Amino acid sequence: MGYATAVLIALLVYRLGLYLYRYTLHPLAKFPGPRLAAVSSLYQIYYDIIKDGQLTYHLQDLHKKYGPIVRISHNEIHLSPPSAYHEIYRLNTPLIKHHGFYQLFNLSNSSFGTVSNADHRRKRSVLNQSFSRRTIFELEPLVQSKVDRLVQRLEDEYAGVGREVCVHNAYQAVTIDTVSDFSFGISYGVLNNADFRSRAMEAFDKQQEAFLVFKHFPLLARLAGNMPFWLANLLMPDGAGFLEMEQDCRHQIQHLLSPAADTPPAKAGHPTIFNRLLEAYPDPDEKTIDYLAKEGVTVVSAGTHTTRHALCVGTVYALQKPEVGERLLRELREVMPGVRDVASLKELESLPYLTAFMKESLRLSYGVVGPLPRVVPAEGATIAGAFFPGGTVVIMDSYIVHHNEDLFPSSHEFDPTRWLVPNAKELDKYLVSFSAGSRQCLGMNLAWAELYMVFARVFRRFEMELYEHEGEGIKIVEHWLPTVRGEKVRCTLKVREV
Ligand code: HEM
């Protein structure tokens, strides 16, 4: 027997032994699930890559077959009981983010990518103030000014002239400009771009397409993330917009550090996240500047994609379901009698139907639709009544909670009234688009404010019609974030007469 054959046979025997161990003696062997999933990553690769982002949806079927706890890889458990969500994602949880998974984003240093709960607490405490409810109210005029620009352009360039607008891009423009101005004191100016296009977000969306390949082949993610800027630009010209955003953040930080500079905060008129970060890290070295830039990129990308999608989902359903659109308009007229009136955030928050409509838009846009994997600490943990040994990766997602038929009957139906029935307040706990606990979304107050203001102003001013839109709602696949399949949402619009 040749040397190569011997090595091959040894490898084969090792693999078979490993599969046998995973299937029979592994501490998770007692949990039900597909056999192939328990022993090999091929199972997930099939649903993630070959079937393009279908794993999250397939998990629903697995729970129907195997029950509330399903083993989906040799060391991963997926759970379905909504109550388990708040056992995993809660304040002061000993479970930590899964390093292997979160390093795929190449944002390891940011509060989002930080695994250790203690490190995260420290980083997050610096940022919290910038996104508190109080700050949102203080900076309400800033958000209103972005929405002003949006509705003005829609009126001037699209309404009544028969030119359809890409709503997806328009919402992207208002969200990216808001979050960048809010966070850095500098707007990216996408609201002024032709067709509301953003190079950075187009690059982000392109990267998102590769996410599931990176998930199963993490070496590729590391290569892509650590390429020098010039090489990335050469190999992936479409992806360069996103890297430019990081470069831009670095320049802003360096600008702030230079004492002679006419600093952006002077123009901003409010403390930016970089001001706060530099107060916390007064003498940054190169490594710290890297970290600060990653925080900047995280905030903009996390704040744009999710809010944009929630706005698109709400818009499509409001236009497809006349009873929803009409009720919304009736309520908006109470605080905005004229088509060009502006209501304050406080007034909008007091509108029950608009609030219910937004909750339903958040429910069916999911936030992050894919897994939020967490690792059980060394001493193990009991979740949903089952004990999991240290090192087990436990996973839930908003999709499994938002489509729990006991909580949300006919869960695929867009029905804002489900949030208005007696005891509906108890449902709030299960709206987990922003996740929950200490790793909950940093920008949720800003996101709510944007949704209130954009929906109110757009629906009050314009009569809209979907343009060449197929099917109910928006067709998405799971690339961790929801990725739209088919045409992006487009509308024709005209200014209302009353
Ligand atoms: C509808 C809008 C939004 C939704 C549904 C949403 C959803 C989420 C979710 C589910 C997470 C947790 C991710 C995880 O555990 O891995 C998260 C984290 C985060 N979000 Fe949002 N988000 C939204 C808007 C925003 C906005 C406007 C900002 C910025 C201003 C933002 C900034 C962040 C940041 C920085 C994190 C990481 C937080 C941390 O780990 O400390 N998000 N978001």
Side-chain angles (χ1 to χ4, degrees):
M1 192 191 317
Y3 180 68
T5 321
V7 171
L8 211 68
I9 291 175
L11 277 177
L12 205 68
V13 170
Y14 168 74
R15 271 278 140 194
L16 284 174
L18 183 68
Y19 289 166
L20 200 65
Y21 163 74
R22 286 177 175 173
Y23 191 59
T24 54
L25 298 173
H26 191 282
L28 299 183
K30 62 176 187 265
F31 292 104
R35 264 178 233 159
L36 181 59
V39 299
S40 161
S41 53
L42 285 176
Y43 189 88
Q44 290 196 24
I45 289 178
Y46 175 73
Y47 286 99
D48 272 340
I49 300 177
I50 313 283
K51 301 270 275 183
D52 186 20
Q54 295 302 309
L55 184 64
T56 293
Y57 315 118
H58 176 64
L59 289 171
Q60 293 260 357
D61 298 335
L62 292 186
H63 281 293
K64 278 186 199 133
K65 182 165 176 195
Y66 295 106
I69 301 176
V70 178
R71 186 183 184 199
I72 59 167
S73 85
H74 72 278
N75 71 335
E76 289 178 333
I77 294 285
H78 193 271
L79 297 102
S80 68
S83 56
Y85 196 93
H86 293 285
E87 293 182 66
I88 301 173
Y89 311 96
R90 64 175 169 84
L91 289 177
N92 302 320
T93 173
L95 278 70
I96 56 170
K97 280 191 167 180
H98 180 25
H99 174 68
F101 184 83
Y102 280 93
Q103 74 173 2
L104 299 175
F105 299 89
N106 194 31
L107 295 168
S108 313
N109 267 332
S110 69
S111 56
F112 165 78
T114 298
V115 163
S116 141
N117 287 337
D119 287 351
H120 173 259
R121 227 181 342 266
R122 195 168 37 77
K123 289 178 180 170
R124 177 77 180 239
S125 66
V126 180
L127 295 169
N128 275 339
Q129 206 188 335
S130 292
F131 296 96
S132 68
R133 217 171 125 72
R134 188 175 158 177
T135 307
I136 306 301
F137 277 100
E138 280 168 9
L139 296 187
E140 183 181 340
L142 184 152
V143 186
Q144 290 284 20
S145 71
K146 305 296 173 207
V147 188
D148 286 345
R149 178 75 187 128
L150 171 73
V151 289
Q152 200 53 51
R153 263 198 84 186
L154 290 178
E155 179 166 342
D156 293 345
E157 295 174 36
Y158 298 90
V161 296
R163 183 176 168 214
E164 78 275 7
V165 61
C166 175
V167 173
H168 175 101
N169 283 4
Y171 287 156
Q172 164 174 288
V174 73
T175 49
I176 198 169
D177 279 9
T178 303
V179 78
S180 58
D181 205 346
F182 200 93
S183 313
F184 315 147
I186 296 175
S187 162
Y188 280 145
V190 179
L191 278 165
N192 298 327
N193 288 357
D195 301 322
F196 298 109
R197 287 185 66 177
S198 156
R199 248 169 76 75
M201 283 314 290
E202 281 167 23
F204 181 83
D205 291 345
K206 279 249 151 56
Q207 276 193 9
Q208 215 40 50
E209 291 279 346
F211 183 78
L212 295 177
V213 175
F214 288 166
K215 176 178 159 189
H216 293 289
F217 304 97
L219 193 61
L220 292 179
R222 223 166 305 153
L223 282 176
N226 291 311
M227 257 178 223
F229 182 61
W230 64 267
L231 183 59
N233 212 351
L234 196 73
L235 295 177
M236 308 176 284
D238 285 345
F242 193 64
L243 293 171
E244 275 167 24
M245 194 198 283
E246 191 172 326
Q247 296 282 74
D248 202 43
C249 286
R250 289 182 72 90
H251 290 148
Q252 286 179 50
I253 297 158
Q254 272 148 358
H255 195 55
L256 275 174
L257 287 169
S258 149
D262 166 21
T263 56
K267 285 186 227 147
H270 66 268
T272 67
I273 59 165
F274 294 139
N275 291 123
R276 293 203 204 284
L277 287 165
L278 288 173
E279 269 165 36
Y281 305 90
D283 296 311
D285 53 18
E286 266 306 295
K287 233 175 124 196
T288 318
I289 292 177
D290 260 351
Y291 152 60
L292 301 183
K294 293 259 191 258
E295 284 293 18
V297 171
T298 307
V299 165
V300 174
S301 47
T304 302
H305 187 294
T306 42
T307 320
R308 167 188 82 186
H309 188 56
L311 286 165
C312 286
V313 167
T315 301
V316 169
Y317 281 112
L319 300 183
Q320 285 183 330
K321 296 183 152 254
E323 72 282 8
V324 173
E326 281 158 21
R327 188 159 170 190
L328 205 51
L329 183 61
R330 269 203 307 281
E331 194 183 60
L332 287 172
R333 283 192 174 121
E334 290 168 19
V335 291
M336 302 158 77
V339 291
R340 288 191 184 74
D341 286 350
V342 178
S344 70
L345 179 57
K346 221 163 184 71
E347 284 172 306
L348 295 173
E349 280 184 343
S350 71
L351 299 179
Y353 192 75
L354 173 62
T355 306
F357 168 80
M358 283 171 35
K359 286 181 184 171
E360 196 65 345
S361 305
L362 284 165
R363 185 179 72 84
L364 287 182
S365 58
Y366 312 107
V368 172
V369 65
L372 301 181
R374 301 293 187 259
V375 181
V376 171
E379 65 276 19
T382 299
I383 302 162
F387 180 80
F388 300 105
T392 306
V393 178
V394 288
I395 300 177
M396 285 189 77
D397 45 70
S398 55
Y399 192 86
I400 199 88
V401 179
H402 291 179
H403 288 295
N404 179 293
E405 290 285 322
D406 295 330
L407 293 170
F408 303 106
S410 306
S411 69
H412 289 273
E413 279 279 305
F414 185 92
D415 178 12
T417 62
R418 67 173 88 242
W419 300 97
L420 295 171
V421 298
N423 300 333
K425 263 257 147 275
E426 286 161 29
L427 271 189
D428 284 356
K429 191 170 154 199
Y430 297 107
L431 179 64
V432 293
S433 309
F434 294 105
S435 190
S438 32
R439 308 301 300 245
Q440 186 177 38
C441 176
L442 170 73
M444 62 186 279
N445 292 318
L446 178 60
W448 277 103
E450 288 181 79
L451 294 181
Y452 272 116
M453 293 186 215
V454 174
F455 277 138
R457 297 281 294 284
V458 168
F459 286 132
R460 181 64 193 96
R461 188 172 302 193
F462 301 108
E463 222 176 294
M464 299 196 280
E465 223 172 276
L466 287 170
Y467 183 83
E468 293 181 354
H469 187 85
E470 279 178 21
E472 197 167 303
I474 299 179
K475 196 165 161 13
I476 54 157
V477 295
E478 178 257 305
H479 287 165
W480 197 63
L481 289 167
T483 296
V484 178
R485 280 285 172 261
E487 281 290 334
K488 291 175 182 167
V489 182
R490 287 172 299 160
C491 283
T492 53
L493 29 83
K494 55 182 186 204
V495 177
R496 291 185 192 282
E497 284 170 13
V498 281

